[in-house]
């Protein structure tokens, strides 16, 4: 009887252990392990080492010429970094062969016809395994259409429109690892309503096209849900590449707004904030893309103080949580400082995997490569099977989950408050204890939990 | 001044300031396009090029006035070389040749700035002595924007005097009217046209330097202003400085009061105005040349 009781107790104990411990060990399917990272001292994005022979080909479909040419370079360096790292580790075992990763630049020139042409060329001529992109949802839509037509995997890393994955546009060959417009808007609202609880009067100023309206709608929806007592004192949509923001700023000033919510990207975002400061308006902006370092320096410490950024690659304070993370950051930052040449030695590239968009693009690429490795194949069907429902832990500890039904990433976002350099230590907890000297940067960080900002799911999407 | 009145007055001054920026770009274009009949689609590229050059001058010397002096002159020299060695050769074959050539030049300038300055956004701060706000009857307004208004007015005055009160201006207007006759009278007409082209690109250069502290200097700068300037020239009437000035001011005011009262329609108000003008006066408000 006694032994029966003991066996029974043991079974209960094992069950309890399984319920608690096993899910934790299975919490992520894979994680970026800094300990496995190769010696990157020979990495130089200006002089890439291009593997030959049978390779895993990734085409970065982006603007490499025209007014937005710089964006292509911002994508290129972190993707190339991930590829270089994996190649130095010996490549990835796929379909019974160890293959290295080859990164190809595919210039869509920010134009739809060119995007279609270059993407098809990448698939048919270069025979790439993955289409990686891009700046502009309208261009990502083209990439997704090509991916669907030729059954090639596409990774949406930088286009943010939810519509790309609605029932009309969804393709099972494309995966959205970036954050999304609706999510960003609701995250900002959640931050102001549930965390910050200070300002109540908001003015929405976004660009007058699908993206800007989607960013605004997400914010309005979020305010209804998380901050019903908030007041939207004004709402405007301006044309793209606007020269003069002064009339909007005068309206905003008269509205009594306490915060300006904007989905603008550079150069509009920079011009908006710059002209506001020139006009003596020190209102805080809640934004996503006002983090371009050259602009931040131009506006200076006071002008950038109080900006609130909804970021996709951040973590709660302190930013650097372990030695591995610091090691990866230092590896990048030392090369930036000592080795790289223009444009990769400019402010924009300074912090790389430390945080921000470049870190995000790098980690999204590592996730892709991890999926290919675990799929053991470049066969799109095997990649889809592995990626759907997959979870991956990034360098900074953040976990991304790929929702199987619509291929959108579920993830925490973070609200980052910009503070003067001397107050940034709370966030930038390694030497020199500040992101930049000449402008405000990340200070207090608040986590917006993923379950509060689940990606928008189109109810008409039947899979 | 009560806050509401201050807001309306501020919108009026914003309109004037933006109008003057437009005028600075459009005045050069109207000289070249209107007076010489050259369809220079690279005009806005000179505006951008000058902004980039002023960035470098400012980096090296730290002197805004030097930047305002040097950058437009460099742009003008490049413009003169373009006219002398490229445009003059295709001018006889009409607008198609000019159009293709100037688009080509615009692309070369675009790629050149990327090679020399890179593709990232470059900061150009408002000069220290023009920073801050000035308070007039309770309305606080940025000094730099007032400086732009003053600069445009001074340039308008200078250009008007040169064109309408000097012998050079008389020769230019005569050459535009009948180049062969003026040539027969012993005036070197190609030289006159080259000078006009140089002045036109110089004006674009002045606009580039003036606007750089308000905007971000990046390779898309030309696209930001080019279309609006072209609309000013067409609506004001080809070759009419007065027309360009008036329409620039109207566009500026439409833009600022449009945002204030009919925000959703603000971006199209200029187009509506242009359409109405062209329906009534196909040559533009003060059109002098077909």
């Amino acid at each position: 009887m006694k032994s029966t009781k003991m066996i029974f107790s043991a079974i209960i104990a094992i069950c309890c252990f399984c319920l608690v411990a096993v899910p934790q060990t299975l919490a992520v399917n894979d994680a970026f392990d800094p300990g496995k990272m190769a010696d990157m001292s020979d990495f130089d994005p200006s002089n890439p080492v291009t593997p030959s022979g049978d390779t895993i080909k990734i085409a970065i479909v982006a603007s490499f010429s025209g007014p937005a040419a710089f964006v292509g370079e911002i994508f290129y360096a972190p993707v190339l970094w991930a590829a270089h790292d994996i190649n130095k580790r010996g490549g990835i075992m796929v379909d019974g062969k160890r293959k290295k990763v080859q990164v190809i630049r595919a210039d869509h020139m920010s134009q739809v016809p060119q995007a279609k042409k270059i993407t098809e060329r990448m698939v048919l001529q270069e025979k790439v395994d993955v289409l990686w992109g891009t700046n502009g949802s309208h261009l990502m839509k083209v990439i997704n259409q090509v991916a669907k037509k030729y059954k090639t995997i596409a990774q949406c890393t930088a286009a943010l429109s939810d519509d790309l994955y609605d029932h009309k546009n969804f393709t099972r060959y494309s995966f959205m690892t970036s954050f999304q417009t609706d999510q960003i808007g609701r995250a900002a609202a959640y931050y102001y309503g549930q965390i910050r609880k200070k300002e109540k009067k908001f003015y929405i100023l976004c660009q007058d096209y699908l993206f800007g309206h989607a960013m605004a709608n997400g914010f309005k929806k979020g305010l209804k849900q998380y901050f019903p007592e908030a007041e939207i004192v004004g709402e405007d949509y301006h044309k793209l590449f606007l020269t003069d923001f002064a009339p909007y700023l005068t309206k905003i000033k008269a509205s009594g707004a306490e915060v300006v919510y904007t989905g603008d990207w550079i150069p509009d975002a920079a011009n908006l904030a710059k002209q506001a400061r020139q006009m003596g308006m020190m209102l805080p902006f809640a934004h996503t893309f006002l983090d371009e370092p050259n602009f931040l320096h131009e506006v200076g410490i006071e002008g950038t103080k109080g900006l609130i950024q909804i970021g996709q690659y951040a973590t709660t304070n302190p930013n650097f949580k372990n030695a591995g993370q610091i090691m990866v950051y230092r590896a990048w930052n030392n090369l930036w400082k000592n080795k790289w040449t223009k444009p990769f030695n400019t402010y924009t590239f300074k912090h790389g995997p430390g945080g921000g968009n470049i870190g995000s693009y790098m980690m999204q690429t590592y996730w892709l490569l991890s999926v290919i490795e675990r799929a053991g194949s470049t066969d799109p069907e095997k990649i889809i099977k592995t990626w759907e429902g997959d979870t991956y832990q990034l360098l900074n500890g953040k976990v991304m989950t790929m929702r199987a039904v619509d291929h959108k990433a579920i993830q925490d976002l973070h609200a980052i408050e910009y503070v003067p350099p001397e107050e940034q230590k709370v966030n930038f907890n390694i030497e020199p204890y500040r992101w930049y000297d000449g402008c405000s940067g990340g200070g207090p960080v608040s986590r917006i939990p993923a379950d509060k900002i689940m990606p928008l799911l189109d109810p008409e999407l039947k899979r | 001044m009560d806050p509401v009145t201050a807001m309306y007055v501020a919108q009026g001054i914003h309109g004037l300031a933006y109008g003057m920026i437009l005028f600075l770009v459009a005045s050069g274009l109207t000289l070249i396009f209107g007076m010489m009949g050259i369809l220079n689609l690279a005009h806005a590229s000179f505006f951008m090029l000058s902004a980039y050059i002023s960035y470098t001058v400012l980096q090296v010397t730290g002197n805004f006035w030097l930047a305002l002096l040097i950058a437009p002159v460099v742009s003008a020299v490049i413009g003169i070389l373009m006219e002398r060695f490229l445009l003059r050769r295709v001018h006889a074959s009409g607008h198609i040749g000019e159009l293709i050539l100037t688009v080509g030049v615009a692309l070369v300038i675009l790629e050149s700035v990327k090679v020399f300055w890179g593709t990232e956004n470059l900061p150009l701060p408002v000069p220290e002595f023009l920073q801050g706000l000035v308070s007039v009857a309770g309305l606080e307004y940025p000094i730099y924007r007032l400086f732009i208004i003053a600069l445009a007015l001074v340039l308008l005055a200078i250009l008007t005097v040169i064109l309408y009160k000097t012998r050079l201006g008389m020769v230019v207007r005569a050459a535009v009217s009948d180049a062969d006759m003026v040539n027969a009278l012993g005036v070197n007409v190609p030289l006159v046209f080259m000078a006009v082209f140089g002045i036109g690109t110089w004006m674009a250069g002045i606009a580039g330097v003036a606007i750089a502290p308000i905007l971000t200097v990046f390779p898309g700068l030309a696209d930001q202003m080019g279309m609006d300037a072209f609309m000013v020239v067409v609506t004001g009437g080809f070759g009419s400085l007065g027309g360009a000035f008036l329409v620039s001011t109207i566009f500026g005011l439409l833009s600022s009061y449009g945002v204030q009262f009919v925000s959703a329609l603000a971006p199209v108000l200029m187009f509506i105005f242009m359409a109405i003008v062209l329906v009534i006066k196909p040559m533009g408000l003060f059109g002098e040349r077909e």
Side-chain angles (χ1 to χ4, degrees):
Chain A
M1 191 66 187
K2 210 173 185 181
S3 62
T4 312
K5 265 186 181 174
M6 277 178 69
I7 291 167
F8 189 66
S9 302
I11 291 170
I12 289 174
I14 289 167
C15 288
C16 287
F17 174 78
C18 289
L19 280 171
V20 175
V22 174
Q24 281 191 7
T25 54
L26 293 178
V28 290
N29 293 340
D30 195 15
F32 177 82
D33 182 357
K36 288 183 185 168
M37 197 179 77
D39 170 19
M40 297 293 284
S41 57
D42 60 342
F43 177 71
D44 182 355
S46 300
N47 299 294
V49 180
T50 308
S52 55
D54 196 2
T55 55
I56 299 165
K57 291 182 176 175
I58 300 174
I60 303 177
V61 189
S63 305
F64 286 100
S65 65
F70 195 56
V71 179
E73 307 301 342
I74 290 173
F75 295 156
Y76 182 63
V79 176
L80 199 65
W81 173 281
H84 189 82
D85 175 23
I86 296 297
N87 290 344
K88 284 197 78 176
R89 296 188 211 178
I92 296 173
M93 183 64 86
V94 284
D95 305 316
K97 279 168 82 178
R98 190 159 280 279
K99 292 185 185 179
K100 292 193 172 175
V101 181
Q102 185 181 352
V103 178
I104 302 171
R105 294 155 74 106
D107 184 7
H108 62 40
M109 302 176 185
S110 306
Q111 293 165 8
V112 169
Q114 172 64 10
K116 185 169 189 295
K117 199 169 132 190
I118 193 72
T119 311
E120 287 196 328
R121 209 189 93 194
M122 285 296 124
V123 173
L124 299 174
Q125 200 174 313
E126 298 289 343
K127 305 214 179 303
V128 299
D129 300 293
V130 179
L131 299 161
W132 192 108
T134 191
N135 50 314
S137 295
H138 59 307
L139 300 164
M140 192 66 220
K141 193 172 175 177
V142 174
I143 294 171
N144 282 354
Q145 284 167 352
V146 173
K148 184 181 181 182
K149 185 175 174 185
Y150 297 103
K151 296 185 167 63
T152 304
I153 293 295
Q155 185 183 13
C156 173
T157 55
L160 312 182
S161 285
D162 283 285
D163 296 26
L164 286 168
Y165 294 79
D166 67 7
H167 74 284
K168 284 183 199 155
N169 296 306
F170 176 80
T171 165
R172 56 194 291 274
Y173 291 96
S174 181
F175 292 84
M176 191 177 206
T177 49
S178 61
F179 56 175
Q180 306 107 33
T181 48
D182 184 79
Q183 204 177 37
I184 295 167
R186 284 187 290 127
Y190 183 87
Y191 170 71
Y192 280 103
Q194 302 292 314
I195 298 171
R196 189 172 168 89
K197 297 178 183 171
K198 284 181 188 168
E199 299 87 350
K200 282 187 178 173
K201 291 181 177 177
F202 298 90
Y203 200 105
I204 297 172
L205 183 62
C206 291
Q207 291 154 325
D208 194 7
Y209 75 114
L210 179 68
F211 171 77
H213 285 268
M215 290 285 280
N217 287 340
F219 185 60
K220 286 190 279 186
K221 208 195 300 177
L223 286 183
K224 268 187 195 162
Q225 190 179 359
Y226 296 122
F227 200 8
E229 58 273 38
E231 188 187 348
I232 296 172
V233 294
E235 183 177 351
D236 274 318
Y237 299 89
H238 65 82
K239 72 169 184 176
L240 277 176
F241 301 121
L242 186 67
T243 317
D244 189 16
F245 283 93
Y248 290 102
L249 291 166
T250 298
K251 251 179 112 175
I252 291 168
K253 194 176 178 181
S255 72
E258 294 167 310
V259 173
V260 181
Y261 171 81
T262 181
D264 284 13
W265 36 265
I266 304 283
D268 282 339
N271 290 335
L272 167 65
K274 184 176 166 180
Q275 290 178 26
R277 300 312 184 230
Q278 284 176 359
M279 289 172 65
M281 286 176 65
M282 300 308 281
L283 274 179
F285 288 89
H287 68 97
T288 301
F289 301 109
L290 260 173
D291 58 351
E292 202 279 316
N294 289 302
F295 147 75
L296 293 173
H297 279 81
E298 188 181 358
V299 178
I301 294 169
E302 279 306 306
T304 48
K305 188 178 151 185
L307 295 177
I308 300 290
Q309 182 181 21
I310 303 300
Q312 70 170 332
Y313 185 58
T315 180
T316 49
N317 283 333
N319 187 62
F320 298 98
K321 291 191 165 56
N322 56 63
Q325 200 186 348
I326 296 168
M327 185 262 293
V328 175
Y329 170 75
R330 291 275 187 233
W332 172 286
N333 190 251
N334 286 338
L335 291 170
W336 171 84
K337 207 184 306 175
N338 303 317
K339 183 171 184 173
W340 298 344
T341 52
K342 268 199 165 185
F344 303 108
N345 62 351
T346 55
Y347 270 142
T348 306
F349 294 89
K350 183 176 180 182
H351 293 298
N357 287 327
I358 290 181
S360 170
Y361 302 140
M362 183 188 286
M363 286 300 128
Q364 290 182 59
T365 308
Y366 272 115
W367 189 9
L368 163 75
L369 296 174
S370 162
V371 167
I372 293 173
E373 185 174 31
R374 282 178 286 130
S377 173
T378 49
D379 176 2
E381 293 305 325
K382 288 181 182 169
I383 290 175
I384 292 169
K385 198 178 166 195
T386 307
W387 214 340
E388 286 187 345
D390 187 40
T391 50
Y392 185 76
Q393 189 170 38
L394 313 182
L395 170 64
N396 65 1
K398 175 174 158 170
V399 175
M400 311 260 286
T401 303
M402 181 53 68
R403 191 161 66 185
V405 66
D406 62 353
H407 291 191
K408 281 181 175 176
I410 298 169
Q411 56 183 318
D412 291 345
L413 296 182
H414 293 83
I416 307 154
E417 183 180 349
Y418 282 34
V419 295
E422 63 275 12
E423 295 171 35
Q424 290 169 23
K425 192 176 179 180
V426 63
N427 180 243
F428 201 94
N429 57 315
I430 57 173
E431 280 192 12
Y433 301 108
R434 60 189 59 192
W435 292 94
Y436 300 104
D437 285 321
C439 62
S440 295
V445 177
S446 304
R447 174 177 165 258
I448 318 291
D451 61 328
K452 304 293 182 193
I453 46 166
M454 289 298 278
L456 191 69
L457 175 59
D458 184 357
E460 290 184 55
L461 179 64
K462 308 271 189 263
R463 287 196 67 205
Chain B
M1 203 181 299
D2 69 274
V4 177
T5 313
M7 180 174 71
Y8 293 140
V9 173
Q11 293 292 27
I13 307 177
H14 292 326
L16 279 180
Y18 181 61
M20 291 308 101
I21 291 168
L22 261 183
F23 171 71
L24 284 173
V25 187
S27 55
L29 191 61
T30 202
L31 274 179
I32 295 167
F33 186 31
M35 295 192 168
M36 297 169 66
I38 292 175
L39 198 58
N40 181 18
L41 293 183
H43 186 74
S45 301
F46 285 99
F47 158 80
M48 174 183 70
L49 179 65
S50 181
Y52 271 102
I53 295 169
S54 68
Y55 169 80
T56 300
V57 175
L58 211 59
Q59 290 280 306
V60 174
T61 66
N63 189 324
F64 178 77
W65 296 116
L66 265 183
L68 190 59
L69 186 75
I70 293 172
V73 169
V74 174
S75 302
V77 169
I78 296 170
I80 287 169
L81 293 173
M82 172 187 162
E83 196 280 334
R84 173 66 185 82
F85 296 106
L86 299 174
L87 268 173
R88 202 175 290 181
R89 291 165 195 264
V90 299
H91 190 48
S93 56
H95 286 325
I96 297 295
E98 289 166 4
L99 193 136
I100 294 168
L101 180 74
T102 53
V103 166
V105 170
L107 288 173
V108 169
I109 292 175
L110 177 65
E111 292 308 315
S112 302
V113 297
K114 283 194 281 183
V115 168
F116 287 111
W117 287 278
T119 46
E120 63 180 341
N121 304 299
L122 301 178
L124 208 143
V126 172
E128 215 166 285
F129 52 91
L130 293 173
Q131 283 176 7
L133 307 167
V134 63
S135 182
V136 182
L139 172 70
E140 292 201 314
Y141 202 79
I143 297 170
Y144 189 74
R145 283 175 182 258
L146 296 175
F147 164 74
I148 287 178
I149 295 175
L151 180 69
L153 291 175
V154 168
L155 283 173
L156 173 68
I158 292 172
L159 274 180
T160 307
V161 168
I162 290 175
L163 274 177
Y164 298 103
K165 300 287 177 191
T166 66
R167 188 170 182 280
L168 174 68
M170 195 171 68
V171 170
V172 168
R173 285 183 290 128
V176 166
S177 174
D178 192 336
D180 291 338
M181 179 62 77
V182 175
N183 209 14
L185 291 171
V187 175
N188 187 345
V189 173
L191 187 69
V192 171
F193 277 0
M194 195 167 75
V196 170
F197 199 90
I199 292 171
T201 45
W202 177 75
M203 295 286 286
I206 295 266
V209 182
I211 205 167
I214 290 181
L215 293 177
T216 305
V217 180
F218 81 117
L221 196 57
D223 301 337
Q224 254 176 313
M225 291 298 290
M227 177 57 82
D228 287 358
F230 202 77
M231 283 168 60
V232 166
V233 172
V234 172
T235 313
F238 300 140
S240 169
L241 263 184
F245 181 77
L246 180 66
V247 172
S248 296
T249 310
I250 293 172
F251 277 8
L253 292 172
L254 278 176
S255 171
S256 58
Y257 283 115
V259 167
Q260 181 67 49
F261 296 112
V262 279
S263 183
L265 288 175
V268 296
L269 288 177
M270 290 197 299
F271 291 94
I272 293 171
F273 180 77
M274 182 177 75
I276 292 169
V277 167
L278 294 184
V279 164
I280 299 166
K281 291 195 75 176
M283 305 291 291
L285 278 179
F286 300 94
E288 293 170 356
R289 183 194 174 92
E290 198 163 349

